[in-house]
């Protein structure tokens, strides 16, 4: 059991290091883009989005997430971990989520699940056919 705990700890440590590395890479890329100060409203909106991402990445850097939720989507063989944090963070080059914003609807599973043998379910607002269930940490 001792080696199992050590292995789980090492996996989480690796995941944390990879997340921070990806966040730092994304922040560095955003910081290379000069701030737009011109009159074009579209560019102003895009700059506002970039600045918001810069600020969120910088704030989340020291502690990118505070919780982990393992859920198993119906029909899937393995549970998927979701890391819950103050800000949502995605990979710079893909839509893959590294950290789910604590205010996102799916994060409600983290707050509502009380453990035990009861199931917790989530119906995606964008894909009504997807239901994620959790029981004892998995479905």
């Amino acid at each position: 059991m001792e080696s199992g705990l050590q292995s789980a700890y090492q996996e989480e440590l690796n995941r944390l290091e990879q997340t921070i590395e990806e966040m730092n890479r994304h922040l560095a890329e955003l910081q290379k883009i000069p701030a737009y100060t011109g009159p074009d409203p579209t560019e102003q909106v895009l700059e506002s989005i970039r600045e918001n991402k810069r600020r969120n990445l910088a704030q989340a850097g020291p502690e990118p997430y505070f919780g982990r939720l393992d859920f198993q989507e119906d029909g899937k063989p393995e549970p998927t971990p979701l890391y819950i944090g103050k800000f949502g963070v995605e990979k710079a080059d893909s839509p893959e989520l590294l950290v789910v914003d604590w205010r996102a609807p799916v994060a409600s599973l983290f707050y509502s699940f009380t453990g035990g043998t009861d199931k917790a379910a989530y119906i995606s607002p964008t894909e009504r056919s997807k239901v994620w269930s959790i029981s004892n940490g998995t479905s």
Side-chain angles (χ1 to χ4, degrees):
M1 175 112 171
E2 192 74 26
S3 67
L5 286 175
Q6 182 64 28
S7 175
Y9 173 78
Q10 192 59 49
E11 284 179 33
E12 287 301 320
L13 186 59
N14 290 342
R15 171 62 158 77
L16 177 61
E17 289 170 352
Q18 290 171 354
T19 300
I20 291 172
E21 183 179 307
E22 180 67 28
M23 289 170 59
N24 288 338
R25 185 173 29 254
H26 193 180
L27 181 57
E29 288 175 16
L30 285 169
Q31 289 173 333
K32 288 179 188 175
I33 301 170
Y36 180 79
T37 58
D40 185 338
T42 303
E43 288 297 326
Q44 290 173 355
V45 169
L46 291 173
E47 178 56 31
S48 175
I49 291 168
R50 284 190 298 267
E51 182 55 33
N52 195 28
K53 283 185 179 183
R54 287 182 199 110
R55 186 177 55 251
N56 289 349
L57 286 166
Q59 287 178 351
E63 292 182 19
Y65 49 84
F66 53 79
R68 175 181 161 169
L69 169 70
D70 291 338
F71 70 88
Q72 187 165 355
E73 191 173 346
D74 288 345
K76 299 282 182 171
E78 295 293 321
T80 302
L82 281 181
Y83 292 85
I84 312 296
K86 293 178 190 175
F87 304 103
V89 179
E90 59 195 30
K91 277 194 164 185
D93 56 354
S94 78
E96 180 186 341
L97 281 176
L98 297 172
V99 181
V100 174
D101 189 304
W102 69 274
R103 297 163 290 196
V106 72
S108 66
L109 284 171
F110 179 77
Y111 297 104
S112 64
F113 187 62
T114 58
T117 58
D118 294 336
K119 280 192 170 188
Y122 172 76
I123 299 174
S124 169
T126 57
E127 293 187 45
R128 287 290 204 202
S129 62
K130 288 194 174 188
V131 178
W132 295 326
S133 303
I134 302 168
S135 176
N136 269 347
T138 61
S139 180

